[in-house]
């Protein structure tokens, strides 16, 4: 059976447990639970533990500063929620300084609501992490001082990686195999004020989406080996939002996005997808396949699609000159009935869609001071209608007058 200690404010040590070397799991699959122990400062008495037949759950402890007594644990199981390790709301715990003899967590790992936590040393020797019932492999959440994610040795993560509201500066995930959460996400990194770089350069495929948002100092994303990105349940493959300092994304081998791409508020100059965007899904909220908005340096993107299932929107990109849709012959429509929208792009001079024959929705061109005449739509023969039809009628009159 497992060892559980809960809500005993007077207990300040675990004397008497020095001979314990192995713990099985309780009815919930938890092997070690230390929860709400207001007077406990450490777990030194557990220094001889080598095996946990279930999960380790250390939560809501006001004074624990170290769990280094668990350094010698060689194997950890998982509970009925498929979780191997939970650290939550431990007010003074500065390091996950345990499990150094462990090479694998078969379930998910969670470090959340940890105001003092600075490093995840417990992952330093781990090469594989599984996933919980929600498909999350590693969750680092609301740990503002956490600088070291500890994943340098990682080779495989069966579930998604979440890093939100942490102090991480460099998020390095060397795993070649990255999994997917139940809602189809592979990587979520948001609200990390110190984050400068993300490195997933060894991953070749992600089964789900990559979403990076609200990281004010982020400068680089290295995804150099990544060939394809899957889609989440919302039809999104890649979403980069409010990362104005992001000037470099190495994605030279990227050939396929199963879902949509949204670049909103980035500093990227270039973005290229050699193959298809929206290969199997569109963004459900908008039905757009491409959204490029408020990117102050983006000039000439490239998308290799011959067909685009949904709409494409280009808004308020200071340097944008064209759509990058030179190979497209047909474009679907978004939820507003629009196929191609270009507005507020100061240097936009041509749609660059020389092979485009038909659109399911309207084509919108407004506030484009560099476009003197409608260019890059020379072969368009069929244009659909948006909900107001005003944009369509205007364009159709231009096409007929050619």
């Amino acid at each position: 059976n497992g060892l559980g200690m809960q809500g005993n404010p007077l207990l300040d040590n675990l004397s008497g447990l020095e001979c314990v070397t192995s713990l099985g799991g309780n009815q919930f699959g938890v092997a070690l639970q230390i929860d709400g122990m207001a007077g406990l400062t450490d777990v030194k008495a557990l220094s001889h533990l080598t095996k946990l037949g279930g999960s380790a759950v250390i939560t809501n402890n006001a004074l624990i500063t170290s769990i280094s007594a668990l350094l010698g644990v060689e194997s950890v199981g998982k509970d009925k929620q498929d979780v191997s390790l939970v650290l939550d709301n431990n007010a003074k715990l500065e390091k996950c300084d345990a499990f150094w003899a462990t090479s694998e967590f078969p379930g998910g790992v969670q470090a959340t609501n940890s105001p003092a936590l600075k490093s995840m040393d417990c992952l330093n020797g781990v090469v594989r992490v599984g996933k919980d019932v929600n498909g999350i492999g590693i969750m680092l959440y609301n740990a503002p001082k956490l600088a070291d994610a500890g994943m340098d040795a990682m080779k495989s993560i069966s579930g998604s990686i979440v890093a939100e509201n942490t102090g991480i500066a460099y998020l390095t995930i060397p795993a070649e195999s990255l999994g997917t959460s139940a809602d189809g996400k592979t990587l979520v990194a948001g609200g990390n004020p110190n984050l400068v770089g993300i490195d997933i350069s060894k991953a070749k495929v992600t089964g789900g989406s990559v979403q990076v948002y609200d990281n004010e100092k982020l400068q680089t994303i290295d995804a150099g080996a990544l060939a394809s990105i899957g889609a989440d349940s919302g039809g999104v493959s890649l979403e980069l939002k409010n990362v104005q300092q992001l000037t470099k994304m190495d994605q030279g081998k990227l050939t396929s996005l199963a879902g949509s791409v949204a670049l909103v508020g980035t500093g990227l100059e270039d973005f290229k997808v050699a193959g298809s965007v929206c290969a199997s899904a569109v963004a459900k909220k908008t039905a757009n396949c491409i959204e490029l908005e408020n990117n102050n340096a983006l000039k000439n993107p490239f998308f290799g699609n011959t067909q685009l299932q949904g709409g494409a929107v280009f808004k308020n990109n200071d340097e944008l000159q064209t759509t990058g849709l030179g190979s497209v012959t047909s474009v679907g429509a978004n939820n507003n009935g629009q196929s191609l929208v270009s507005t507020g792009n100061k240097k936009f001079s041509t749609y660059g869609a020389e092979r485009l024959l038909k659109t399911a929705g309207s084509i919108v061109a407004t506030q484009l001071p560099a476009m003197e005449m409608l260019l890059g739509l020379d072969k368009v023969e069929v244009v659909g209608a948006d909900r107001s039809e005003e944009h369509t009628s205007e364009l159709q009159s231009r096409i007929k007058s050619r």
Side-chain angles (χ1 to χ4, degrees):
N1 292 327
L3 174 62
M5 291 164 283
Q6 292 180 279
N8 189 334
L10 300 179
L11 191 66
D12 60 3
N13 67 79
L14 301 180
S15 296
L17 298 175
E18 287 84 359
C19 294
V20 177
T21 60
S22 177
L23 292 171
N26 63 16
Q27 69 269 35
F28 303 109
V30 178
L32 175 63
Q33 182 174 22
I34 302 173
D35 175 67
M37 302 295 286
L40 195 64
T41 59
D42 60 63
V43 293
K44 290 178 181 179
L46 299 177
S47 61
H48 293 96
L49 263 179
T50 59
K51 181 179 180 180
L52 295 178
S55 65
V57 178
I58 302 172
T59 55
N60 305 311
N61 300 291
L63 299 179
I64 289 180
T65 58
S66 173
I67 55 173
S68 62
L70 302 175
L71 279 173
V73 175
E74 297 174 359
S75 65
V76 180
K78 60 181 180 179
D79 59 30
K80 292 188 177 181
Q81 296 299 309
D82 289 338
V83 175
S84 287
L85 175 63
V86 178
L87 301 175
D88 180 69
N89 195 30
N90 298 294
K92 293 189 176 182
L93 184 64
E94 294 187 357
K95 295 181 179 180
C96 182
D97 50 356
F99 306 106
W100 285 15
T102 304
S103 62
E104 176 181 355
F105 286 107
V109 173
Q110 302 173 9
T112 57
N113 304 310
S114 302
L117 190 65
K118 296 178 180 178
S119 66
M120 289 293 290
D121 294 350
C122 52
L123 294 178
N124 282 347
V126 175
V127 296
R128 180 184 177 275
V129 171
K131 60 182 178 180
D132 65 20
V133 292
N134 295 312
I136 298 173
I138 298 175
M139 174 178 281
L140 308 174
Y141 175 76
N142 199 20
K145 293 183 179 180
L146 181 62
D148 181 7
M151 288 186 262
D152 293 349
M154 201 71 63
K155 293 183 179 179
S156 173
I157 303 172
S158 299
S160 64
I161 304 103
V162 178
E164 292 182 300
N165 304 323
T166 78
I168 295 171
Y170 293 93
L171 183 60
T172 301
I173 306 168
E176 295 180 8
S177 175
L178 298 177
T180 306
S181 65
D183 57 358
K185 297 174 182 177
T186 291
L187 173 63
V188 178
N192 303 292
N194 299 325
L195 189 62
V196 175
I198 295 175
D199 185 346
I200 53 171
S201 58
K202 293 187 178 181
K204 296 180 180 179
V205 175
T206 72
S209 65
V210 174
Q211 299 184 17
V212 180
Y213 68 95
D214 295 345
N215 301 293
E216 60 195 52
K217 294 181 180 179
L218 184 64
Q219 298 175 14
T220 63
I221 297 177
D222 189 347
L226 196 59
S228 67
I229 301 177
D232 62 26
S233 58
V236 175
S237 279
L238 179 63
E239 189 172 78
L240 307 178
K241 289 189 174 182
N242 299 323
V243 284
Q244 287 84 359
Q245 300 302 312
L246 179 63
T247 58
K248 181 180 179 182
M249 181 175 180
D250 184 354
Q251 33 82 244
K253 295 186 178 181
L254 190 59
T255 57
S256 176
L257 298 181
S260 67
V261 57
L263 308 181
V264 180
T266 81
L268 292 173
E269 293 185 12
D270 299 296
F271 184 81
K272 294 178 173 62
V273 180
S276 295
V277 175
C278 283
S280 59
V282 300
K284 292 182 179 179
K285 286 185 178 180
T286 63
N288 282 320
C289 283
I290 299 170
E291 292 184 30
L292 305 183
E293 184 173 353
N294 295 325
N295 301 290
N296 56 24
L298 192 63
K299 293 181 180 180
N300 296 298
F302 175 81
F303 303 96
N305 292 63
T306 55
Q307 295 181 330
L308 203 62
Q309 292 188 51
V313 176
F314 308 85
K315 287 185 178 181
N316 303 321
N317 302 285
D318 291 347
E319 301 293 325
L320 189 70
Q321 299 172 16
T322 185
T323 64
L325 295 172
S327 300
V328 169
T329 59
S330 66
V331 178
N334 62 23
N335 290 336
N336 293 320
Q338 299 165 333
S339 290
L340 297 175
V341 177
S342 181
T343 181
N345 303 300
K346 296 177 182 178
K347 296 185 179 181
F348 193 89
S349 58
T350 174
Y351 271 90
E354 288 83 4
R355 298 183 183 181
L356 183 62
L357 300 175
K358 61 181 180 179
T359 66
S362 66
I363 299 177
V364 181
T366 61
Q367 302 176 48
L368 304 173
M371 179 179 273
E372 296 181 1
M373 55 187 301
L374 202 62
L375 298 176
L377 297 169
D378 300 345
K379 294 184 178 180
V380 175
E381 297 176 354
V382 178
V383 179
D386 67 18
R387 290 180 177 177
S388 70
E389 297 191 1
E390 60 181 287
H391 300 117
T392 301
S393 60
E394 177 186 355
L395 182 74
Q396 286 175 333
S397 65
R398 294 194 194 189
I399 292 173
K400 290 177 181 178
S401 66
R402 288 197 306 235

